Amino acid sequence: MFQSLANRLTLRALHCVDAETAHGVTIRALASGVYPRFSNTSLPSLRQEVLGLSFPNPLGMAAGFDKNGEVPDAILGMGFGFAEAGTVTPRPQEGNPRPRLFRLPADQGVINRFGFNNEGHAALLARLEARKGRGGIVGVNVGANKDAADRVADYVAGIRTFAHLASYFTVNISSPNTPGLRDLQAKAALDELLSAVMAERDAQSLQVGRKVPVLLKIAPDVSAEGLEDIAEAVLTHKVDGLIVSNTTLSRAGLRDTQTAQEAGGLSGRPLFRRATVILARARKLVGPDLPIVGVGGIDSPETALVKITAGATLLQIYSSLVYKGPGLVPAILKHLDGELKRGGFSSLAGLRSANVDAWAGENLD
């Protein structure tokens, strides 16, 4: 389809080693300047102003790929409209023992239980300081250390540390791999967290000269009542947007039943339906204007379009690159541009939420 021979051979070679080693090789290659550059990703129809930022196109690299901010410029150079570093915690942590990343080729899925492995605030801060002035939209995804005595304080520290460098912030409370983290999605805990985070963001805005947008990243396994509580909290605390969604604990419908027994969050194609239903339901709860980043299971130009029609303002991918390679980026963008032209629309707003009611009404039981 959109895979060149070189792309297919590269993917085949990477799949000959374990998944985490392959990821490390990819990061090193990108850091050395070895990556594909696509010239057909600057499509005027796909540009949009969101969160007070000028996005050249709606497709971003999701958090988790570049945890330590080593290669944001390479990611942007591959044609992505934005990149997201992290999740980063105040102190470095090793995460969970290896192996902790598993491919499910039969399902085009990935299971990970990394546990916020990262080099900490200081390392990411140094890298972002070094690239200051290069431009491009680079968000910072902040989290809490596993053994933090005060997890809210860890998130606040992330806002304080990176406010002068981050294009936007993502508050990640939805990873299933840090015990108790998803408890922060509960109403009282979420109110406490968002109150502290938004207050720190506003305080930092006086120093950096702008209000850095804050997005909340939620789980796809949230209940209907839980999603209503999240939407209410987001609107009450004037959070700037949502990211829907993180990985799922569900294993429904998997063909690879042996690998499915591995603990961790499932991403890739098996996540698509669940994440898209939650996206559409979130869109109906928060209204038409709040920006929502749709992520989870996008592995083709067609599924990217579905996310837009289900209510997404922006998109992110990651796991699908394991199977489809970087050629997926221009393929998605060209398809979206073509759909706009076929429909006579001047921007993605013409396609957004066209099928939100149908997706929101899907049964997840």
Side-chain angles (χ1 to χ4, degrees):
M1 186 170 58
F2 43 76
Q3 291 187 353
S4 66
L5 176 61
N7 185 78
R8 291 196 297 272
L9 291 175
T10 299
L11 290 176
R12 188 176 302 172
L14 288 173
H15 282 226
C16 288
V17 298
D18 74 88
E20 188 164 355
T21 297
H23 180 261
V25 169
T26 302
I27 292 292
R28 289 194 292 275
L30 292 174
S32 69
V34 180
Y35 58 88
R37 294 165 174 83
F38 299 106
S39 60
N40 58 351
T41 55
S42 296
L43 300 166
S45 67
L46 301 184
R47 297 173 187 160
Q48 54 183 333
E49 294 287 325
V50 182
L51 301 167
L53 301 169
S54 297
F55 287 81
N57 69 61
L59 185 61
M61 177 70 88
F65 179 81
D66 187 17
K67 290 175 179 289
N68 298 305
E70 298 174 87
V71 291
D73 295 300
I75 291 169
L76 297 173
M78 291 167 62
F80 284 97
F82 60 108
E84 187 169 317
T87 296
V88 62
T89 56
R91 290 174 287 106
Q93 62 182 28
E94 294 183 2
N96 295 319
R98 297 192 186 199
R100 53 192 180 181
L101 182 64
F102 308 89
R103 305 185 191 97
L104 293 81
D107 300 289
Q108 298 280 286
V110 174
I111 291 173
N112 91 81
R113 53 170 179 263
F114 280 119
F116 283 177
N117 60 309
N118 74 105
E119 296 174 2
H121 282 182
L124 178 58
L125 180 64
R127 292 189 180 104
L128 293 183
E129 290 278 12
R131 74 168 300 276
K132 191 186 299 184
R134 293 183 192 170
I137 297 174
V138 179
V140 176
N141 184 307
V142 295
N145 280 110
K146 180 178 180 179
D147 60 353
D150 184 345
R151 284 182 170 171
V152 171
D154 276 14
Y155 285 97
V156 169
I159 303 296
R160 184 184 308 117
T161 300
F162 299 105
H164 65 299
L165 295 166
S167 299
Y168 67 88
F169 282 111
T170 297
V171 174
N172 184 2
I173 58 171
S174 49
S175 170
N177 299 316
T178 296
L181 189 76
R182 288 189 173 188
D183 294 343
L184 291 173
Q185 294 180 132
K187 184 173 177 56
L190 185 57
D191 279 331
E192 179 187 359
L193 173 66
L194 293 181
S195 179
V197 163
M198 299 309 290
E200 184 64 30
R201 189 283 303 269
D202 291 346
Q204 291 298 320
S205 69
L206 299 175
Q207 299 185 41
V208 303
R210 71 184 184 100
K211 286 190 174 184
V212 184
V214 173
L215 307 177
L216 181 69
K217 187 167 186 175
I218 66 172
D221 306 318
V222 65
S223 67
E225 296 77 14
L227 186 59
E228 290 175 3
D229 288 342
I230 289 170
E232 181 181 353
V234 163
L235 296 175
T236 298
H237 294 282
K238 296 182 170 55
V239 177
D240 300 287
L242 283 168
I243 298 184
V244 184
S245 66
N246 212 314
T247 58
T248 181
L249 293 173
S250 171
R251 299 292 190 265
L254 291 181
R255 297 166 62 189
D256 186 344
T257 55
Q258 181 174 353
T259 309
Q261 296 175 38
E262 295 290 349
L266 172 67
S267 59
R269 184 179 293 173
L271 176 59
F272 179 76
R273 183 174 177 274
R274 174 174 291 273
T276 306
V277 170
I278 298 300
L279 162 67
R281 292 178 182 177
R283 170 56 72 202
K284 289 179 70 68
L285 288 168
V286 300
D289 299 324
L290 189 82
I292 300 181
V293 182
V295 55
I298 299 172
D299 68 350
S300 68
E302 292 75 20
T303 49
L305 177 62
V306 169
K307 290 284 190 186
I308 297 290
T309 63
T313 314
L314 299 166
L315 306 170
Q316 286 181 327
I317 60 174
Y318 174 9
S319 296
S320 57
L321 298 172
V322 172
Y323 300 103
K324 300 299 179 66
L328 181 60
V329 176
I332 286 174
L333 300 177
K334 288 168 64 177
H335 183 71
L336 293 178
D337 178 64
E339 287 299 309
L340 289 176
K341 290 175 179 175
R342 279 187 284 276
F345 301 116
S346 60
S347 72
L348 288 172
L351 296 171
R352 188 170 303 122
S353 299
N355 295 324
V356 67
D357 289 333
W359 275 102
E362 287 282 313
N363 188 356
L364 287 177
D365 295 333

